[in-house]
Amino acid sequence: MTDSLDSLSPAWRKTLDAIERRQSSPVMLPLAIGAIVDIFEAGTNDGATIRFEDYEQRFRALAAKHQITLKSGPWMPYLALTGSSAVLVPLDPESGGPRELCRPRPKSRAALLGQSSCSHVSTSLAQGLANATVRHALSAWLEARLDRAQP
């Protein structure tokens, strides 16, 4: 990773390292992180809570900006970020509290939204997203990652 990431917390560096190692998703997970960063940059989130619809819109806009053709929907990397990386914590639509997604994990956008349409960015990562320097470093990482992934 680059020097610009020195401003990131150990939690963010660990998250980005894990994404860098996932060769199965060289574009989708970085776009997902970019969409989350954009939501915080625009201030459309409610604290650390993001709505799936906001995420989906920003994910598609980033893909279009970088001329990336999506082979699957934005829901798949969103779902991946609720898994072992624990970037996102799904919220129960009734109580608003954290919830685990039912097993087996959702296999479609509709199934995901049937369980949760909002997520909370994990506390260790959300604190950094409140800082413009951190958001800038994450955006720079995204640009570099997408540049390397393009043919």
Side-chain angles (χ1 to χ4, degrees):
M1 289 192 286
T2 65
D3 292 338
S4 68
L5 299 184
D6 290 343
S7 63
L8 298 181
S9 68
W12 265 115
R13 279 188 247 131
K14 180 180 175 184
T15 297
L16 298 183
D17 282 341
I19 290 172
E20 290 276 350
R21 287 192 303 273
R22 287 185 75 173
Q23 295 300 315
S24 63
S25 187
V27 173
M28 298 294 274
L29 288 177
L31 282 175
I33 295 294
I36 293 167
V37 171
D38 279 0
I39 289 168
F40 275 76
E41 187 69 28
T44 58
N45 53 305
D46 178 14
T49 301
I50 59 171
R51 294 178 319 140
F52 178 80
E53 290 79 12
D54 292 340
Y55 158 84
E56 185 174 44
Q57 178 184 25
R58 294 193 184 271
F59 185 100
R60 290 186 188 282
L62 277 173
K65 174 184 171 188
H66 292 281
Q67 300 177 342
I68 296 170
T69 302
L70 299 176
K71 296 176 184 164
S72 61
W75 71 272
M76 291 181 79
Y78 183 91
L79 181 64
L81 293 178
T82 68
S84 61
S85 66
V87 171
L88 298 175
V89 178
L91 299 177
D92 185 277
E94 293 178 21
S95 72
R99 71 163 293 163
E100 293 216 15
L101 297 177
C102 298
R103 299 278 183 209
R105 302 219 353 131
K107 302 232 184 285
S108 69
R109 178 185 186 277
L112 171 64
L113 293 178
Q115 292 187 44
S116 178
S117 62
C118 291
S119 290
H120 188 85
V121 178
S122 73
T123 304
S124 62
L125 301 178
Q127 291 169 347
L129 289 170
N131 181 309
T133 302
V134 170
R135 291 192 308 270
H136 178 74
L138 289 168
S139 294
W141 171 84
L142 170 68
E143 296 294 326
R145 181 74 171 138
L146 293 178
D147 286 347
R148 286 195 312 269
Q150 295 297 322

